[in-house]
Amino acid sequence: MKAMMQPAERGAVAGSDQRTLVLTRMLDAPRELVFEAWTHPKHLVRWWGPADFTLPHCEQDFRSGGAYRFCMRPPDGSDHWVRGEYTYIDPPSRLVFTWLREDAEGDIWCDTVVSITLEQHGTRTKLILEQTTFATVAHCEEHAIGWNQCLDRLVHFVERSTNNL
């Protein structure tokens, strides 16, 4: 399977609210498969995070009201912690969770909500990621870079995993 990703599908900051992020991807995979990639640490450690990041710590209680806590690590070895709660899960079409980024001291510097919507389009899936509302435009732009790279990795993971999830 090949991901058909046009530049316009990559998205950026959307609408008049420059502190809301909306990104889209078209994946050549059924939405059940794309949804499954979000549901278990064994999948997440293979694609989560920006390019060249690893996920050395991945705790996940994948249910409405369940928590997650991830540590993303870039090549420089620094740790970037994120945690939150799954507030809504409707397999295989929708997932909503809080997003709390921690600094090195454990203080929260980003408190937003992420929603993932998966729409079946024939044999393809349209993924829509919306994250709102950032405290600053700069935080939104930073997350746009990270999420675009993360979604690129998801596309490649799903392509390689069509029969293995």
Side-chain angles (χ1 to χ4, degrees):
M1 290 189 311
K2 183 178 178 190
M4 305 295 277
M5 187 173 27
Q6 302 300 318
E9 292 177 318
R10 291 184 56 101
V13 179
S16 61
D17 182 358
Q18 296 298 299
R19 295 180 304 128
T20 296
L21 176 64
V22 178
L23 303 173
T24 62
R25 289 288 189 285
M26 289 298 290
L27 297 94
D28 285 330
R31 70 182 179 164
E32 291 80 7
L33 180 68
V34 177
F35 189 86
E36 180 70 16
W38 292 85
T39 64
H40 297 289
K42 68 181 181 181
H43 303 316
L44 292 166
V45 297
R46 296 182 55 209
W47 67 268
W48 187 273
D52 300 322
F53 277 58
T54 61
L55 195 65
H57 181 89
C58 181
E59 291 179 54
Q60 181 187 44
D61 180 8
F62 191 77
R63 62 179 175 84
S64 291
Y68 70 91
R69 189 158 191 254
F70 303 155
C71 175
M72 300 175 286
R73 185 172 293 151
D76 71 8
S78 60
D79 288 339
H80 301 265
W81 289 91
V82 62
R83 64 181 165 90
E85 179 181 310
Y86 295 104
T87 59
Y88 183 78
I89 299 174
D90 182 20
S93 60
R94 191 147 165 83
L95 168 62
V96 180
F97 51 95
T98 59
W99 178 269
L100 306 169
R101 283 282 307 271
E102 300 174 6
D103 64 17
E105 289 76 39
D107 295 325
I108 302 300
W109 66 267
C110 179
D111 183 353
T112 60
V113 174
V114 176
S115 65
I116 305 296
T117 303
L118 303 174
E119 300 173 354
Q120 193 69 48
H121 291 264
T123 60
R124 301 177 77 204
T125 299
K126 181 178 185 179
L127 181 149
I128 304 161
L129 180 147
E130 181 174 345
Q131 188 171 8
T132 193
T133 300
F134 289 94
T136 68
V137 173
H139 286 164
C140 186
E141 291 169 347
E142 174 187 302
H143 280 76
I145 294 166
W147 275 119
N148 269 310
Q149 292 176 7
C150 187
L151 294 178
D152 289 346
R153 293 179 68 187
L154 172 63
V155 167
H156 292 118
F157 173 72
V158 172
E159 288 177 355
R160 291 187 311 264
S161 303
T162 303
N163 298 315
N164 298 323
L165 286 184

